């Protein structure tokens, strides 16, 4: 079936060119954020890869109140606005409550719906009505084809600028599995599909600060499989020093290694697209 092209600024999501969503999991102190954005922009330019900068002003699903949640809506959006202005990058952030949608859309080009919240009608409708691109993550509890239902809620609210992101499916206790069939099924919904590599290797029940909190040994295999299966974009949270990151330390990717990690993925993507019958 034909797939809708969704534009984030001048980035054509759904075209033959892979695009990248990257940035720290959660907004940290200003100098780190600015250094990271500057470095990511240079990496993306070297790879000739369109970049969307991602970071969260709040991580509302931390497993303990003792863990860092982010600077909050007002301070977080101020930081994202500065990055957008100084580096001329489109911005993606996630929201957890309907009231956050409108202020987020004043700064951000893409509003992300967390996987746990993808079936919350009031939330997805609020995001849709802003007119921003809505990146909706595949709920860990939903069969891939059932993601058509929250997508329809967004479209029925007057916004068909939708991206769908795979991030793994609950498999037993405290584990996720990425089933390559999901990429086929998500593509059938008709919107651009993204693979979130870092969250797909998280190990539930283990704090993300603990190195055991992810299954990094599978990251390359899963990423290459997703690209070969025909995703349109690649999502990977990136940090200058992942072990010291304030959230998802076990699964964020080191900036120093990101370019070499991405090059074979781009080669696979280009090969797959060159073999596709249009």
């Amino acid at each position: 079936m034909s797939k809708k092209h969704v534009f984030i600024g001048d980035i054509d999501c759904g075209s033959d060119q892979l695009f990248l969503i990257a940035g720290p999991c959660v907004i940290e102190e200003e100098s780190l954020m600015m250094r990271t954005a500057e470095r990511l922009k240079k990496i993306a330019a070297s790879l000739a890869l369109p970049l969307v900068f991602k970071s969260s002003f709040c991580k509302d699903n931390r497993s303990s109140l003792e863990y860092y949640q982010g600077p909050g809506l007002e301070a977080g959006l101020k930081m994202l606005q500065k990055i957008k202005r100084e580096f001329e990058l489109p911005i993606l952030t996630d929201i957890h409550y309907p009231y956050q949608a409108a202020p987020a859309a004043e700064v951000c080009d893409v509003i992300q719906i967390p996987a746990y919240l993808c079936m919350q009608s009031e939330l997805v409708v609020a995001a849709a009505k802003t007119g921003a691109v809505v990146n909706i993550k595949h709920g860990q509890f939903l069969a891939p084809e059932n993601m058509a239902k929250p997508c329809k809620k967004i479209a029925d609210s007057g916004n068909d600028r939708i991206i769908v992101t795979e991030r793994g499916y609950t498999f037993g206790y405290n584990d996720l599995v990425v089933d390559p069939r999901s990429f086929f099924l998500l593509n059938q919904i008709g919107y651009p599909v993204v693979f979130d590599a870092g969250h797909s290797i998280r190990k539930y029940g283990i704090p993300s600060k603990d190195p055991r909190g992810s299954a990094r040994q599978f990251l390359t295999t899963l990423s290459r499989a997703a690209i070969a299966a025909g995703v349109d974009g690649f999502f990977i949270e990136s940090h200058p020093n992942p072990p010291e990151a304030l959230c998802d330390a076990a699964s964020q990717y080191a900036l120093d290694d990101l370019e070499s990690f991405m090059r074979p993925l781009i080669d696979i993507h280009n090969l797959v697209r060159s073999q596709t019958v249009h």
Side-chain angles (χ1 to χ4, degrees):
M1 65 177 294
S2 62
K3 182 184 293 186
K4 180 177 177 58
H5 288 230
V6 173
F7 284 85
I8 303 173
D10 59 359
I11 301 174
D12 184 355
C13 305
S15 71
D16 284 338
Q17 185 175 29
L18 188 71
F19 65 95
L20 176 65
I21 300 171
C25 173
V26 67
I27 296 170
E28 300 188 20
E29 56 92 12
E30 182 173 327
S31 64
L32 182 144
M33 296 299 294
M34 300 302 282
R35 293 197 316 271
T36 302
E38 182 178 29
R39 182 74 184 280
L40 280 171
K41 184 169 183 176
K42 289 178 180 177
I43 291 169
S46 177
L47 296 169
L49 205 59
L51 171 67
V52 179
F53 184 86
K54 181 270 171 185
S55 200
S56 300
F57 57 79
C58 178
K59 299 297 291 185
D60 203 36
N61 60 352
R62 301 304 305 270
S63 58
S64 170
L65 293 177
E66 297 176 358
Y67 298 154
Y68 179 69
Q69 291 183 289
L73 179 65
E74 185 176 352
L77 291 179
K78 184 177 180 180
M79 182 73 257
L80 293 174
Q81 178 66 65
K82 184 171 183 177
I83 290 170
K84 181 174 186 175
R85 181 178 64 250
E86 294 202 14
F87 298 106
E88 299 181 324
L89 289 171
I91 303 293
L92 178 152
T93 201
D94 44 351
I95 63 171
H96 298 82
Y97 303 98
Y99 78 87
Q100 296 172 338
E106 291 179 5
V107 173
C108 301
D109 305 85
V110 186
I111 295 177
Q112 181 168 282
I113 305 297
Y116 279 135
L117 302 177
C118 70
M119 288 299 292
Q120 298 300 109
S121 296
E122 189 174 352
L123 182 65
V124 301
V125 168
K129 288 185 175 180
T130 67
V133 174
V134 179
N135 180 37
I136 185 163
K137 287 199 166 184
H138 172 206
Q140 303 93 325
F141 46 85
L142 280 179
E145 60 268 33
N146 289 340
M147 283 300 293
K149 299 181 186 300
C151 287
K152 188 174 187 298
K153 293 179 185 179
I154 298 168
D156 287 349
S157 300
N159 186 349
D160 63 355
R161 303 176 69 208
I162 300 167
I163 295 171
V164 185
T165 293
E166 174 60 84
R167 49 95 68 243
Y169 185 84
T170 301
F171 184 70
Y173 294 129
N174 291 331
D175 202 4
L176 296 169
V177 65
V178 177
D179 181 353
R181 294 177 297 178
S182 70
F183 299 113
F184 174 85
L185 294 167
L186 293 176
N187 271 312
Q188 300 307 299
I189 298 173
Y191 300 102
V193 175
V194 170
F195 178 52
D196 177 352
H199 286 107
S200 296
I201 60 168
R202 276 285 285 125
K203 302 289 288 184
Y204 288 171
I206 301 175
S208 63
K209 190 73 172 177
D210 190 325
R212 297 173 301 166
S214 74
R216 282 188 181 272
Q217 68 270 29
F218 301 124
L219 185 61
T220 296
T221 298
L222 293 176
S223 298
R224 294 183 181 188
I227 296 293
V231 298
D232 302 285
F234 191 75
F235 181 122
I236 187 162
E237 291 179 334
S238 308
H239 193 280
N241 184 12
E244 297 301 318
L246 299 182
C247 182
D248 280 2
S251 56
Q252 293 203 64
Y253 208 77
L255 278 176
D256 286 346
D257 301 325
L258 185 60
E259 184 171 346
S260 60
F261 178 78
M262 289 301 304
R263 286 199 178 277
L265 300 183
I266 295 169
D267 290 341
I268 295 168
H269 174 83
N270 292 341
L271 176 61
V272 169
R273 292 302 167 111
S274 72
Q275 302 299 315
T276 301
V277 177
H278 295 281

